[in-house]
């Protein structure tokens, strides 16, 4: 009797092993993105892009069906640790994908590092994620805050601007974007004379615009995104400053926002790893598929979501769908060339994209490419020990 029981157990175990090897269950992806607040539209574009790639692969990555668990992170860093833990412990997700806001992403990276959960960041640029917090299981499909800032610092100095004022939200993304700009601008002979900040996500800019008018810089560099970017560009124009002091920025200032900004955005130059007029066969195909699926035009956030799914697919394919094989998953991504609509890119040792940063200019409803501000720009990954 006992022998039969053991025999049955062994047979069941064998059957389930065989079943897993031949038809593994679903991979659960925890989408932790903003669905409310100033970054809500960014979250939607990322999710759309991610789903588009998964749909193009017939709903499977690495041979396993993808199942989504969604959570609105509200771009609120104070809730981020609990939210990430909920997805991992309560919902048993295999992979975390998120988010937009740098403060929330840093909390997610800490939880991912502590628990060993795979994390793919499809936007937030927090330098620390691929700096001091870098880890074998943490990847980014987007950028570091330093990258577009640094590229614009060089471009602004090249244009001959000498004196700049910066203005942004007071949190990691704004501060790090300004730091990148300042590093390159001052290295190339410019000087940042004022660093103006408003708390996130405030959009009361009037007092600071008055300060800018008084200090008369050659150029204003800014980081704003989403709803805040729309309001800032409109306020800058209606204050009369647009006619006298050029406004430049990290490309989020005019990405996914042009319908709402209208003529007030015309002519603004920004730096970013994507533009609306790349015209490559890869980007054209992506834009067509996105427009067909979602009845709207894609933006940089959609591209980053799409590429996050591509990266997950590359990793899962390498490990045959077995998410526990973290070292093999990482090794596959470290040697991959990711076929992005932005142009192919590779990952740095710290798992951040090494990519071209375009100089763009708003023309009508598009961010048109003016040139490449910085070729194959790699984040310095300061503090990363891997
Ligand atoms: C950030 O918080 O890192 C961020 C948010 C929106 C656009 C770009 C960066």
């Amino acid at each position: 009797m006992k022998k039969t029981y053991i025999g049955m157990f062994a047979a069941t175990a064998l059957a389930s092993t065989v079943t897993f090897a031949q038809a593994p269950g679903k991979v659960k992806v925890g989408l932790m993105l903003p669905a409310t607040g100033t970054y809500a539209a960014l979250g939607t574009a990322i999710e759309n892009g991610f789903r588009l790639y998964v749909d193009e692969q017939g709903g499977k990555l690495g041979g396993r069906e993808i199942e989504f668990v969604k959570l609105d992170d509200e771009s609120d860093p104070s809730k981020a640790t609990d939210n990430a833990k909920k997805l991992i412990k309560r919902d048993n997700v295999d992979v975390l994908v998120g988010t937009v806001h740098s403060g929330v992403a840093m909390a997610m990276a800490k939880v991912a590092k502590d628990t060993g959960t795979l994390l793919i960041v499809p936007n937030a640029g927090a330098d620390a994620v691929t700096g001091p917090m870098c880890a074998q299981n943490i990847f980014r499909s987007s950028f570091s805050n330093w990258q577009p800032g640094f590229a614009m610092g060089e471009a602004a100095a090249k244009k001959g601007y000498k004196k700049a004022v910066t203005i942004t939200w007071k949190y990691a993304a704004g501060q790090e974007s300004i730091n990148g700009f300042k590093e390159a601008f001052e290295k190339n002979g410019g000087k940042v004379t004022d660093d103006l900040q408003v708390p996130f996500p405030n959009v009361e800019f009037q007092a600071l615009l008055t300060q800018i008018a008084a200090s008369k810089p050659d150029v204003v560099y800014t980081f704003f995104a989403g709803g805040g970017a729309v309001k800032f560009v409109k306020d800058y124009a209606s204050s009369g400053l647009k006619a006298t002091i050029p406004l430049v920025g990290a490309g989020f200032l005019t990405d996914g926002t042009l319908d709402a900004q209208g003529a007030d955005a015309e002519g603004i130059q920004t730096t970013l790893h994507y533009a609306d007029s790349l015209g490559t066969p890869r980007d054209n195909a992506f834009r067509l598929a996105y427009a067909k699926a979602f009845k709207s035009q894609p933006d940089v956030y959609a591209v980053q979501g799409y590429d996050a799914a591509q990266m997950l697919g590359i990793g899962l394919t390498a490990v045959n769908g077995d998410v526990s094989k973290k070292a093999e998953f990482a090794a596959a991504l470290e040697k991959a060339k990711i076929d992005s609509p932005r142009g192919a890119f590779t990952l740095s040792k710290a798992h951040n994209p090494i990519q071209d940063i375009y100089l763009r200019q708003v023309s009508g409803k598009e961010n048109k490419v003016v040139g490449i501000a910085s070729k194959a720009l790699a984040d310095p990954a300061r503090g990363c020990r891997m």
Side-chain angles (χ1 to χ4, degrees):
M1 182 69 182
K2 197 174 175 189
K3 198 174 166 197
T4 314
Y5 177 76
I6 291 169
M8 274 171 59
F9 177 78
T12 310
L14 185 66
S16 63
T17 310
V18 169
T19 306
F20 180 83
Q22 288 177 341
K26 296 178 181 178
V27 170
K28 262 194 180 182
V29 173
L31 284 181
M32 186 163 152
L33 294 166
T36 49
T38 198
Y39 287 160
L42 288 59
T44 302
I46 290 169
E47 180 176 347
N48 287 349
F50 197 100
R51 286 183 185 271
L52 177 62
Y53 184 76
V54 173
D55 288 348
E56 285 175 357
Q57 310 311 307
K60 288 185 178 179
L61 298 178
R64 292 183 67 184
E65 242 177 88
I66 299 298
E67 178 183 342
F68 294 101
V69 182
K70 289 175 54 169
L71 188 151
D72 175 10
D73 68 32
E74 303 167 56
S75 294
D76 186 347
S78 73
K79 298 180 183 164
T81 302
D82 283 350
N83 281 336
K85 284 184 178 167
K86 248 184 244 166
L87 283 170
I88 294 166
K89 302 225 160 83
R90 182 194 65 190
D91 301 320
N92 291 315
V93 302
D94 299 296
V95 187
L96 276 178
V97 174
T99 188
V100 170
H101 185 287
S102 274
V104 177
M106 281 192 276
M108 293 177 76
K110 167 97 175 57
V111 174
K113 203 166 173 166
D114 290 349
T115 58
T117 309
L118 288 172
L119 167 65
I120 303 177
V121 179
N123 181 69
D127 292 346
V129 166
T130 52
M133 305 178 86
C134 72
Q136 189 187 52
N137 57 316
I138 298 177
F139 306 87
R140 182 148 54 195
S141 66
S142 50
F143 60 94
S144 74
N145 290 319
W146 179 91
Q147 283 175 307
F150 186 85
M152 183 47 93
E154 286 188 328
K158 222 179 256 173
K159 275 183 182 289
Y161 299 134
K162 292 286 178 229
K163 175 178 162 180
V165 167
T166 62
I167 176 165
T168 189
W169 276 313
K170 190 178 172 61
Y171 84 103
Q175 195 55 60
E176 291 169 359
S177 181
I178 299 306
N179 290 348
F181 173 81
K182 189 171 173 169
E183 183 181 329
F185 189 60
E186 297 198 339
K187 208 193 281 176
N188 289 282
K191 180 81 194 141
V192 174
T193 56
D194 284 300
D195 180 7
L196 308 177
Q197 299 185 338
V198 283
F200 176 86
N202 281 11
V203 289
E204 297 312 318
F205 302 121
Q206 213 44 58
L208 299 181
L209 292 174
T210 305
Q211 250 178 279
I212 292 172
S215 68
K216 297 191 176 64
D218 299 328
V219 66
V220 172
Y221 174 80
T222 187
F223 167 89
F224 288 108
V230 172
K231 175 78 165 40
F232 184 78
V233 164
K234 294 194 91 50
D235 284 5
Y236 197 82
S238 61
S239 70
L241 283 171
K242 185 167 188 257
T244 52
I245 306 171
L247 174 66
V248 299
F252 314 105
L253 185 67
T254 56
D255 226 89
T257 54
L258 291 178
D259 282 343
Q261 289 164 333
D264 291 340
E266 188 69 21
I268 293 178
Q269 290 204 343
T270 60
T271 40
L272 203 63
H273 46 286
Y274 189 59
D276 295 315
S277 61
L278 295 178
T280 59
R282 180 70 179 101
D283 190 44
N284 289 346
F286 164 75
R287 293 185 75 89
L288 199 66
Y290 189 96
K292 210 167 148 194
F294 305 109
K295 314 286 172 253
S296 64
Q297 288 302 313
D299 54 22
V300 69
Y301 309 105
V303 171
Q304 294 167 171
Y306 188 83
D307 292 340
Q310 288 209 69
M311 286 165 59
L312 180 59
I314 290 167
L316 285 178
T317 301
V319 298
N320 243 331
D322 183 350
V323 288
S324 71
K325 294 184 171 164
K326 303 280 181 331
E328 292 94 323
F329 187 102
L333 278 169
E334 282 162 11
K335 60 175 195 289
K337 195 166 187 186
I338 293 132
D339 186 20
S340 171
R342 76 188 82 171
F345 68 87
T346 55
L347 292 180
S348 67
K349 274 201 183 130
H351 299 169
N352 190 66
I354 299 172
Q355 56 195 341
D356 294 347
I357 307 291
Y358 302 102
L359 179 64
R360 311 114 44 93
Q361 179 158 9
V362 175
S363 171
K365 291 288 168 63
E366 289 198 336
N367 286 287
K368 290 228 158 91
V369 179
V370 174
I372 294 179
S374 217
K375 184 96 193 128
L377 185 65
D379 178 85
R382 293 169 184 135
C384 172
R385 311 256 169 278
M386 212 171 17

